[in-house]
Amino acid sequence: MSVNVEASVIHLQAGCLSVVLDCSLKEIPRIAYWGQALRHESAQTLRDLALASQMVAEGNSPDYLKPVGMIPLESDGWMGRPGLSGSRTKGLGWAPRLALVGLSWTGAPATFPGESVGVLSGPGTLEVSLVDKTNKLSLLLVIEMIDVGIVRCCARITNDAHSSYLLDELGLVFPLPLEANQILDTTGRWGKERHPQRRPVTLGTDLRESRHGRTGFDAPGVTFVGAEGFSFASGEVWGLHTAYSGNHRTWVEKLPTGQQVFGGSELLLPGEVELGYQESYTTPWIYGLHSYGLDCAANLVHSWLRSRPGHPKTPRPVTLNVWEAVYFRHDQEELCQLADVAAKIGVERYVLDDGWFLNRRNDQAGLGDWYVDSEVWPGGLQPLVDHVHDLGMQFGLWFEPEMVSPDSNLAREHPEWIMGAQGSTDADQLPPLWRHQQVLNISLPEVRDYIENRVVSLVQTLGIDYLKWDHNRDLIEAGDLTAQGRAAVHAQTKALYQLLDSIRQRCPGLEIESCASGGGRIDWEIIERTDRVWVSDCIDPVERQEMVGQLVQLLPLELMGTHVASPVSHTTGRTSTLSARGATALWGHFGIEWNIATLDQPQLDELAAWIAFYRENRALLHSGKVVRCETPDPSLWLFGVVSEDCQRGLFALICRDRAPLAPIGRLRFRGLNQGWEYRIRPRVVGEPPGGLTQPPWFGGDATEPGGEVPGTVLGGEALELSGVATPRLNPEQVLLIEIEHHQFGRS
Ligand code: DGJ
């Protein structure tokens, strides 16, 4: 039930987060404070908190320096990036002023301890209605408090005039204290996603734009800002995520007035959003989070994602994806044999990748013609699907629904369905090819219907359990050719969400993986509609360890596809041991992408041992807290998961390179119960990691067959404060370390 809120200062509090809104100006709300939950403030002190946050103006600036609103406007004297930018014909309506006309709260009970103060504790949604009577615009700002302590906001603007309103941008910002002087986000490229980058906040705007028509390999992920040097373990940080799978912006801005904000918006192309009378546009969700240390921030996000009703609940099945095993070489007998071998070693889901549909013998033809190619599949796909099901595995199938090959029946029949901006379907007027393909305009209902019906019909007739939904190019000159080439990335992104929603509704139980040449479409909006992401096309364990270590800021491990590939990486050419590949793929939703039919028995046994180990440990890995420990040696990386109840932890000690010094120093483990005792011991699965030199705390030789050693018992406090001597490893090797609550009397 909603209640009207008549208060000028509103304290929103959920979990570990407080957001104090100052609405006293009866304009767009201003965030007076957001950060650690305020637990002891009275009505009076909350009111004064808002007052106390107002800054003094420097010389030659607006006489009254208004605190920045959640949608910064020029009318506030804000000289930075405007939150709302748009105009009507003849340049009118470009300088909006928004007056607050109503506040309503839906959620946990609201209290009003003082006349002008509202305390809205617990999860819920505050809706703020604003109007600009002069410029005939109205705006609804939605602020949702998520129970774990995350806030997300969006805004919907409506045109109340009969003349159209051309929207350039609508974005939302959160203020940041000036102590927060360092930015951490990620960037990347194909096969090298999630590369972290730190830089100082400087005066001006630090703007990250994604113009890829998909989230992008180089998307910032969660943008963190904190005092220089914040780490996995410590340092106050504020995080922001623009949850959008199309073009978007994220920025950090610091003005000479001493005001500092970060914000997010959709990046609209020229003319993309033109609102007619009573038409509306809604921004993506912009998420804000606050925490101490990056691990805490990651775990907050994981708790939220895990609490969603649609979060995958079943144990994440060991997956065999046949892409790097066979590429386009589809042969029913060979693929059935692969399934046989897979089932024997414990695989639970089999995914047939690209190459099964009409004329798709390579990446130059066929996209759009979603019919099984009888040339390579004379009996259709049913025999393979049945074979896989009979072996007790789920069956998954690859699609790239938003794409079309110029060499396809679809492109020949419907050239107007291809996206283009020059108003012509002539090949030389279409966008540059990328992987020999063009983009289908799924914002057209007839295109969406075609795709949806093809996908649903195949899912239902064949009995498909899982879709790998790929997207292998950026959107360039992505216009609607049925509307003279008008920009259509916004419409395309919304249409994707609609398509996914509709397919999921029609195919209950179907799981979907978001893949875009690897990790090109990973964000919190796509993850509302998908059950797994493909982290990267680069499966090289050295690269993957880094990516997964960063991606946990966005997603918990169970949503990340991580595979054991062949010994020589197809992307980097680096050779790695099965021990390193297995111990890397463990940290995620484990799978295989390797022609396992070519392996000899000892190799199959070793792979089976990794599968068994993953299956034994996935409940922990997919529900526990992530812990990343800095070590004294930058070439060593210690990554782990500790169960929520602190009973058990599993860590990977990763030696990336050879450091100038021998492995000195100790490994210190966080996340345990300091008052308990723990047994700590190495776990060797299959071949021991190369170059392992074993310190005395192992209590035996872990490289002996079976590899079970007693380890040693230490207090949680000692493990964190004193630590254990670092075992030596060769470069690119991984050692697993298990830590279990130890009660004397039990072995
Ligand atoms: C790109 C994906 O990331 C790969 O895993 C594979 O599915 C290919 N596309 C297929 O074309």
Side-chain angles (χ1 to χ4, degrees), residues 1-19:
M1 206 188 65
S2 304
V3 288
N4 288 334
V5 179
E6 305 234 348
S8 51
V9 174
I10 299 168
H11 180 195
L12 299 164
Q13 196 258 310
C16 54
L17 183 72
S18 278
V19 179

Side-chain angles (χ1 to χ4, degrees), residues 190 321 323-324 327-328 353-355 360 363 367 398-400 435 437 468 470-472 513 515-519 534 536-539 563 593:
W190 175 77
N321 181 299
W323 178 240
E324 288 201 0
Y327 290 107
F328 290 104
D353 211 281
D354 195 355
R360 188 67 169 174
D363 63 6
L367 291 171
W398 181 94
F399 283 89
E400 197 177 0
R435 208 191 188 214
Q437 63 198 55
K468 177 174 174 184
D470 210 340
H471 184 285
N472 283 307
E513 168 172 6
C515 172
S517 313
W534 182 224
S536 174
D537 274 355
C538 181
I539 316 180
H563 294 174
E593 194 157 334

Side-chain angles (χ1 to χ4, degrees), residues 106-260:
T106 313
T111 51
F112 299 93
E115 213 180 288
S116 55
V117 176
V119 176
L120 316 179
S121 299
T125 303
L126 183 72
E127 292 194 346
V128 186
S129 306
L130 301 128
V131 289
D132 178 340
K133 285 201 174 135
T134 312
N135 293 301
K136 299 209 164 34
L137 295 168
S138 49
L139 195 133
L140 184 75
L141 170 66
V142 180
I143 305 170
E144 184 179 334
M145 297 296 287
I146 299 172
D147 54 359
V148 294
I150 294 178
V151 58
R152 66 175 184 180
C153 320
C154 70
R156 189 180 74 212
I157 186 166
T158 305
N159 179 15
D160 297 328
H162 288 278
S163 63
S164 61
Y165 179 76
L166 199 59
L167 181 69
D168 299 327
E169 185 170 14
L170 178 56
L172 292 151
V173 304
F174 291 84
L176 286 167
L178 287 173
E179 295 85 334
N181 59 5
Q182 189 175 59
I183 306 169
L184 168 68
D185 60 12
T186 56
T187 183
R189 60 185 168 91
W190 175 77
K192 186 79 190 170
E193 296 90 333
R194 317 291 143 205
H195 184 72
Q197 49 177 14
R198 276 188 196 245
R199 57 204 179 276
V201 180
T202 53
L203 278 167
T205 308
D206 183 298
L207 176 65
R208 300 290 314 276
E209 291 192 334
S210 167
R211 292 177 176 270
H212 306 286
R214 53 182 176 177
T215 323
F217 300 124
D218 59 349
V222 181
T223 301
F224 286 102
V225 187
E228 187 182 346
F230 56 86
S231 66
F232 296 130
S234 64
E236 188 173 15
V237 287
W238 289 263
L240 180 138
H241 175 69
T242 305
Y244 203 56
S245 319
N247 293 344
H248 63 281
R249 294 193 170 103
T250 302
W251 64 93
V252 179
E253 186 167 39
K254 181 175 177 175
L255 301 187
T257 49
Q259 290 162 298
Q260 182 168 307

